[in-house]
Amino acid sequence: MSGRTLVAGIGNVFLGDDGFGVEAVRRLAEHAADLPEGVETADVGVRGVHLAYRLLDGYDTLVLVDATARGGEPGTLYLIDATAAGDAAPPGTVLDAHRMTPDTVLALLGTLCAGTGAAPPRRIWVVGCEPACLDEGIGLSPQAAAAVPEAVRTVLDLVHRTHEQTPDSDLVP
């Protein structure tokens, strides 16, 4: 693997807190000088198919930043090891370019890698924020907006720790 890392912000900015990943990665880009060499950021938005194809270029680590409903208090941040998520598509997965969740993107990536001989990222992380509102409208809820700076710090810490690891070591969140 190349040692390259892609940090991708996912979400629809027209659906309230669903735009969390896009906003967090936009704010992360303001810290470009603090990112280790080989770390790239991308505002993917709702372009999940584009993300899957971009990953064919060879990344060792993928960090997805997204709204992640897990039942916690709105604004709660989660760090999820999703490395195994791309191993197989969930049963009945329908490919809808406008509704590609991280699981669907990773399943598509697995299919693309199998067809092209490319390798998926060795490590996949999700930095997620519990949304308060996913209704139509532009702008984050106060809870999600307040979580953006901590998400940026989490991603910075994660990519620094990832780049300090040797290829055979495990990263513990």
Side-chain angles (χ1 to χ4, degrees):
M1 281 289 182
S2 64
R4 293 170 60 203
T5 296
L6 178 63
V7 180
I10 297 175
N12 186 336
V13 298
F14 298 110
L15 295 177
D17 288 348
D18 195 48
F20 174 81
V22 171
E23 177 62 17
V25 167
R26 185 189 69 75
R27 295 271 293 280
L28 178 66
E30 296 172 2
H31 298 272
D34 299 328
L35 294 172
E37 186 176 332
V39 176
E40 302 168 34
T41 62
D43 168 359
V44 176
V46 296
R47 299 180 320 272
V49 173
H50 174 77
L51 172 61
Y53 277 100
R54 181 169 179 177
L55 291 169
L56 294 176
D57 289 339
Y59 290 89
D60 187 58
T61 303
L62 170 63
V63 180
L64 299 171
V65 185
D66 196 9
T68 308
R70 297 175 64 95
E73 291 293 318
T76 300
L77 287 179
Y78 308 105
L79 178 59
I80 304 161
D81 183 347
T83 301
D87 291 346
T93 298
V94 175
L95 185 61
D96 176 354
H98 298 287
R99 287 277 194 205
M100 291 199 64
T101 65
D103 287 344
T104 307
V105 170
L106 297 176
L108 173 60
L109 176 63
T111 301
L112 292 172
C113 286
T116 63
R122 184 178 66 86
R123 293 305 307 237
I124 302 170
W125 297 95
V126 176
V127 175
C129 176
E130 186 74 40
C133 178
L134 298 174
D135 295 338
E136 286 186 20
I138 297 174
L140 300 177
S141 68
Q143 298 94 326
V148 169
E150 182 61 27
V152 169
R153 283 189 293 275
T154 299
V155 171
L156 285 169
D157 181 57
L158 182 61
V159 297
H160 281 283
R161 288 188 295 142
T162 298
H163 280 262
E164 292 170 1
Q165 301 295 311
T166 62
D168 296 326
S169 65
D170 288 326
L171 179 67
V172 177

